[in-house]
Amino acid sequence: MAKLWPNPTALHMSWFDSLAASFIPLIPKSIMRRLSTRYIAGEKRADALERGHRLARAGYRVTYDQLGEAVTNEAEVAAAVEENLRLLDDLKNGNLELNISTKPTQMGLNISEQLCHDSMAKVLEKAQEYGAFVRFEMEESFTVDGTLRVFEKLRAKFGSSVGVVLQSMLFRTEEDARALIASSDRPLNVRMVKGIYLEPDDVAYQEGSRVNDSYLRTLRVLLEGGAYVAAATHDDLLVAGLEQLLAENPSWRDKTEVQVLLGVREEMRQHVRDSGLPVRVYVPYGEAWHKYVTRRLKRNPKLARHAFFGIFKRGERLN
């Protein structure tokens, strides 16, 4: 995201964002819990399943995301694997959509690529048996190479059961997309995001307009290359850009969906759903919610401002 803004109002907001982020560690956990309820289903798997049921009844696709990242030992990785296996069982038994998301550092990437691969393979073996899909997420820029190496090995074995994420703020992303298309004849499923991490200016675009341009260029590369594309965004300009691409080539519509985060811009997601594009909602849950919320808000001060104002909003709309 941009560090410098082009006008005084934006500069003021940047100052407010940083101030809000600096107060995050001082906010009582009880208030943080209230802040998070709009964006996180709850601490238990059952909370996520209940929210998923409601969203599915309202016409949305759903992905379930067990919170947790940057784990430091193999016991934590094993626990994350076990939770994902139980999540897949519960989704199957509850006749819910079999679609989950995992983070590389949650699955052991910071310990070793081999551990991450083996951990993901355990989850994907059950996913493939059930006909489920697992999204292998993307994190900070220094994890990208390792993440893509692990993903390519998983894709070679599990094909359409696994997908990856690309971040348009990184300079390298368009070329990464081309490389993924060229590297294998196995199906490619990519979730396209802007990226939430504060990255240095030698690896990432700092201006919002350039991040958006990169996003739309990469969308076109992926769709032209035959990939299934999940356009994850809450930005009206990017939704309009996606719609323009689909108008140019209607055959791409069957290979596209829009993805949004739980509790964010419900009016927008309703409009997109009603326009005929499938919309998927990410439903995060888990006991790591406090660490997750705190870390994300401190890493990206702009999110801290949105979270602050989110306290005063009503609960999530499901229409």
Side-chain angles (χ1 to χ4, degrees):
M1 297 296 179
K3 294 177 184 174
L4 298 175
W5 299 88
N7 60 67
T9 300
L11 284 170
H12 175 74
M13 275 301 189
S14 180
W15 171 85
F16 182 86
D17 296 347
S18 298
L19 181 64
S22 70
F23 277 99
I24 291 299
L26 304 178
I27 299 176
K29 192 172 183 179
S30 60
I31 295 178
M32 286 287 285
R33 186 70 187 91
R34 179 187 170 195
L35 181 155
S36 72
T37 54
R38 185 180 182 88
Y39 310 103
I40 297 173
E43 295 188 3
K44 304 301 181 183
R45 191 183 325 128
D47 298 325
L49 298 177
E50 190 275 335
R51 191 73 67 96
H53 270 294
R54 292 164 57 196
L55 287 163
R57 287 196 298 268
Y60 296 102
R61 298 177 180 180
V62 180
T63 287
Y64 300 85
D65 181 12
Q66 176 204 171
L67 293 173
E69 58 187 310
V71 303
T72 58
N73 60 71
E74 294 189 21
E76 290 180 294
V77 176
V81 170
E82 182 61 25
E83 175 60 24
N84 278 298
L85 294 175
R86 292 180 178 178
L87 174 60
L88 286 170
D89 285 337
D90 283 356
L91 292 173
K92 186 174 188 297
N93 293 334
N95 292 317
L96 289 163
E97 185 176 6
L98 289 155
N99 194 300
I100 70 173
S101 179
T102 62
K103 296 177 184 62
T105 63
Q106 180 187 42
M107 305 303 283
L109 185 66
N110 284 350
I111 301 172
S112 77
E113 288 183 25
Q114 189 62 50
L115 175 63
C116 184
H117 172 274
D118 294 346
S119 302
M120 284 294 301
K122 291 177 183 177
V123 176
L124 281 161
E125 284 167 3
K126 176 164 282 191
Q128 196 168 62
E129 175 190 347
Y130 287 174
F133 177 80
V134 180
R135 179 72 64 191
F136 192 47
E137 291 281 353
M138 189 66 73
E139 299 174 78
E140 287 102 326
S141 58
F142 63 82
T143 70
V144 173
D145 285 326
T147 297
L148 292 177
R149 283 192 293 266
V150 172
F151 170 70
E152 285 289 55
K153 292 178 182 178
L154 295 170
R155 179 186 173 203
K157 182 174 182 180
F158 297 101
S160 59
S161 296
V162 64
V164 74
V165 178
L166 294 177
Q167 301 173 100
S168 69
M169 70 183 303
L170 300 180
F171 295 154
R172 61 179 291 169
T173 293
E174 187 175 347
E175 288 308 309
D176 283 338
R178 295 183 188 280
L180 286 169
I181 290 167
S183 67
S184 173
D185 59 358
R186 303 302 298 272
L188 178 62
N189 186 312
V190 177
R191 181 179 192 237
M192 194 71 219
V193 303
K194 289 186 181 183
I196 68 162
Y197 299 99
L198 289 179
E199 299 285 2
D201 56 15
D202 60 339
V203 302
Y205 299 111
Q206 304 301 316
E207 301 85 8
S209 60
R210 299 189 71 186
V211 174
N212 281 3
D213 288 345
S214 171
Y215 191 107
L216 294 173
R217 286 198 312 271
T218 308
L219 276 187
R220 182 180 290 277
V221 167
L222 291 167
L223 289 166
E224 288 178 343
Y228 185 93
V229 178
T233 184
H234 306 103
D235 188 328
D236 293 324
L237 291 175
L238 293 184
V239 172
L242 171 63
E243 290 175 341
Q244 179 61 41
L245 287 173
L246 299 181
E248 293 174 13
N249 195 326
S251 66
W252 290 344
R253 183 170 289 269
D254 292 336
K255 300 188 297 181
T256 308
E257 65 181 40
V258 173
Q259 297 190 349
V260 297
L261 297 173
L262 185 70
V264 179
R265 295 205 66 196
E266 292 97 335
E267 296 86 353
M268 187 208 79
R269 82 181 186 201
Q270 179 185 351
H271 172 76
V272 175
R273 180 203 61 189
D274 293 347
S275 76
L277 274 176
V279 177
R280 180 177 303 280
V281 181
Y282 260 54
V283 176
Y285 75 97
E287 295 181 359
W289 69 267
H290 186 259
K291 183 184 296 184
Y292 170 86
V293 171
T294 302
R295 183 185 297 120
R296 289 303 172 93
L297 296 185
K298 288 175 67 177
R299 281 178 177 170
N300 193 331
K302 186 176 180 181
L303 294 180
R305 168 172 34 105
H306 290 306
F308 175 81
F309 289 116
I311 293 175
F312 304 102
K313 292 183 179 180
R314 296 180 178 180
E316 187 201 15
R317 292 172 55 187
L318 290 174
N319 56 334

